[in-house]
Amino acid sequence: MNDRRTPLALIFAIVFTVPLYFNFYVVGQYDLGKIIALYGLTGIMLPFVLWQYKQFRLYLSQPLIISVLAFLFASCLSTIFSIDPSTSFFGCVRRYDGLLSLFVYVFIFFSVINYVEVDIVSVLCDVVIIAACIASVYGVLQHYELDLYYQPTDFGSGRRVISTFGHPCFFSGFLVMVIPLAISRFVSGSGWRYLPAMILMIVALYMAKTRGAFVGFAVSSIFFFIVSRRHYHINRREFLLSIVLVIGLTIAFNVSKQNTVLTRFKGDIKATGASVQTSGTAAIRLFNSRIGLAIIKDYPLLGVGQDNLDKVFLKYIAKSYLGVDTSLDQAKQLMVVSNGEKRWFINQSRIHQDFVDLGVTRGLLGIAAYLFMIYTFGILVWKKCKQSNILVIGLVSGLVASFIQRQFLFTHIADAMLYWVMIGLVFVVCRKDPA
């Protein structure tokens, strides 16, 4: 039981299995399937960690660790004082984004910083890239209707692939974090095998046609190539080829074609003079954010608790949109009667905007803890990025892409897991690498 290799092997198993696993024999084959895989593998790892608790370090002197624990503490308070503590702890069906899941993600984060050494970071990144490539192959097969499982691809704007994630947004949210890892490995001169991996993932990303991921990918790519510009003089061929491929594939999949990411932007967002008009899902998400702000106004400090939005959302639509202050059951009936604007009244379990969603579920205290975590993370990586540490730049670029996308969408199980793993990997390199 003193062998550190078992927890390390389970970390590898988690980052490989959770993105790829889904189970048709359970209700919610993607959501419940992935959460079962995540909880199961973490549960297997837990006794090994507990047995070695004397060697398990928390690094409490590090600001990033303090901010992570502050965010966890704020989430605990919001759960204790939530409108439904049980749901807030276990999470609602399909989302499973309760306090229990956060405990699991933070446990994985601490396991990464304890069991992954600096020389193993690149290997773990390669495993993540392999998992993303397998998922991308499946996504491409779906695009060409070669899916043996006949997964749905009709999410509007033509065919949009979901791979093993259940929704194009969750699939693309995973890819935008992994693509910078493949680019960084290629630019660093680690081998030409990363070139086809990079191409495959970018192709799958554009077949998912997700606008938030497109913006995240664009911003993270600009960030990566600017911050890593020193490598232009080290591996000029790989650096230039990466830029050409990112720009070339983006043009190829978005110019002179119908049902692309760009046409989805044009369809929902139109400039008329000095004003901007929104329609479709863009208008719905803006409306939902306004409802979220109204909820924050009434629950400012700790919010309504994690995964409790659907218990108040319709009430606030009735209050804000219809001017009726009523119970949830009555609000549901009002929504049915008000069929003239039926689409607005679909109940929501998450707000599709990161900070508003945090304010609704964890209150202003949760937002403050989150901003504190962003600040301490930025301080941690600043020096390494200035030194042009290509591995750190790749990891940070993936996290930047995820952060940008989450301003338009919420994270899913596999995306959230990888998010915490990558933060842990950055901490490992920045803390232990003497360079």
Side-chain angles (χ1 to χ4, degrees):
M1 294 287 283
N2 289 324
D3 193 349
R4 294 168 57 90
R5 291 176 296 181
T6 301
L8 180 61
L10 287 165
I11 292 172
F12 274 78
I14 288 170
V15 300
F16 183 81
T17 304
V18 174
L20 298 177
Y21 182 73
F22 60 95
N23 188 343
F24 281 114
Y25 297 101
V26 297
V27 178
Q29 61 265 32
Y30 303 102
D31 315 288
L32 185 56
K34 290 187 186 303
I35 207 69
I36 288 173
L38 178 67
Y39 286 0
L41 290 169
T42 306
I44 295 172
M45 183 164 60
L46 181 60
F48 290 92
V49 173
L50 293 176
W51 187 267
Q52 304 169 13
Y53 73 94
K54 291 184 179 180
Q55 290 81 38
F56 198 83
R57 297 183 60 188
L58 295 180
Y59 298 97
L60 294 177
S61 62
Q62 299 289 330
L64 177 63
I65 301 301
I66 296 172
S67 67
V68 167
L69 294 178
F71 183 72
L72 184 62
F73 178 70
S75 300
C76 289
L77 287 179
S78 70
T79 298
I80 294 170
F81 297 101
S82 70
I83 61 174
D84 187 342
S86 176
T87 299
S88 189
F89 181 79
F90 291 104
C92 67
V93 176
R94 291 188 64 207
R95 300 306 177 209
Y96 303 105
D97 192 38
L99 182 64
L100 178 59
S101 293
L102 181 60
F103 272 123
V104 171
Y105 298 138
V106 173
F107 172 73
I108 292 172
F109 164 77
F110 277 106
S111 298
V112 167
I113 67 176
N114 274 274
Y115 295 110
V116 178
E117 300 293 339
V118 173
D119 56 350
I120 301 296
V121 171
S122 59
V123 181
L124 187 57
C125 290
D126 286 349
V127 172
V128 174
I129 292 171
I130 292 171
C133 285
I134 294 172
S136 297
V137 169
Y138 188 28
V140 172
L141 291 175
Q142 287 175 346
H143 179 78
Y144 291 105
E145 299 184 307
L146 298 174
D147 183 3
L148 296 176
Y149 296 103
Y150 301 102
Q151 305 276 39
T153 56
D154 185 13
F155 292 87
S157 301
R159 189 175 294 114
R160 297 177 62 195
V161 300
I162 64 174
S163 186
T164 59
F165 292 78
H167 196 282
C169 294
F170 303 149
F171 177 38
S172 58
F174 185 80
L175 289 179
V176 292
M177 284 192 282
V178 185
I179 292 172
L181 297 181
I183 297 176
S184 68
R185 299 288 283 151
F186 180 63
V187 169
S188 68
S190 298
W192 284 81
R193 62 187 178 276
Y194 296 100
L195 181 63
M198 179 174 59
I199 295 172
L200 176 62
M201 286 187 284
I202 295 175
V203 168
L205 174 68
Y206 285 125
M207 287 180 175
K209 303 175 187 175
T210 303
R211 288 170 294 189
F214 172 78
V215 177
F217 177 56
V219 173
S220 68
S221 297
I222 294 170
F223 173 85
F224 177 87
F225 289 117
I226 290 177
V227 178
S228 65
R229 60 190 180 276
R230 291 184 185 179
H231 283 265
Y232 169 75
H233 303 289
I234 301 173
N235 294 302
R236 181 175 300 183
R237 180 176 55 182
E238 288 86 348
F239 192 91
L240 291 176
L241 183 56
S242 297
I243 295 177
V244 169
L245 283 173
V246 168
I247 296 175
L249 288 171
T250 299
I251 294 173
F253 276 90
N254 289 282
V255 176
S256 301
K257 285 187 178 183
Q258 294 182 343
N259 298 324
T260 66
V261 176
L262 292 182
T263 57
R264 292 193 68 215
F265 275 111
K266 293 176 182 178
D268 284 3
I269 304 173
K270 296 179 180 179
T272 55
S275 63
V276 177
Q277 294 183 342
T278 59
S279 59
T281 56
I284 294 172
R285 290 175 182 179
L286 285 173
F287 180 85
N288 292 344
S289 292
R290 290 199 294 269
I291 297 297
L293 292 174
I295 297 172
I296 294 172
K297 184 178 179 181
D298 289 346
Y299 299 88
L301 185 60
L302 297 172
V304 298
Q306 294 170 244
D307 266 4
N308 278 325
L309 175 63
D310 61 347
K311 293 178 173 58
V312 297
F313 187 78
L314 290 179
K315 289 175 58 178
Y316 276 84
I317 286 186
K319 181 179 179 180
S320 302
Y321 192 69
L322 301 176
V324 178
D325 193 0
T326 182
S327 67
L328 178 60
D329 290 336
Q330 291 173 328
K332 289 179 179 178
Q333 294 174 6
L334 283 170
M335 297 308 107
V336 173
V337 171
S338 305
N339 283 326
E341 296 284 352
K342 185 178 179 181
R343 255 192 111 179
W344 298 112
F345 304 140
I346 298 173
N347 204 0
Q348 297 289 328
S349 59
R350 297 288 296 272
I351 299 293
H352 291 60
Q353 207 288 325
D354 199 24
F355 287 97
V356 178
D357 189 66
L358 278 169
V360 169
T361 57
R362 296 174 176 87
L364 298 179
L365 184 63
I367 293 177
Y370 184 58
L371 290 172
F372 181 40
M373 193 165 70
I374 293 173
Y375 171 76
T376 56
F377 181 82
I379 295 298
L380 179 71
V381 303
W382 175 253
K383 184 178 179 181
K384 290 297 178 184
C385 287
K386 286 184 67 176
Q387 294 173 345
S388 199
N389 185 308
I390 195 67
L391 184 58
V392 171
I393 295 172
L395 288 163
V396 173
S397 298
L399 291 168
V400 167
S402 177
F403 176 80
I404 296 297
Q405 187 192 18
R406 283 185 284 114
Q407 307 317 306
F408 308 95
L409 188 69
F410 53 89
T411 58
H412 196 237
I413 298 160
D415 306 345
M417 175 275 300
L418 183 59
Y419 181 78
W420 283 97
V421 167
M422 290 175 68
I423 294 175
L425 294 179
V426 170
F427 182 83
V428 170
V429 177
C430 292
R431 185 196 74 237
K432 294 184 177 180
D433 187 359

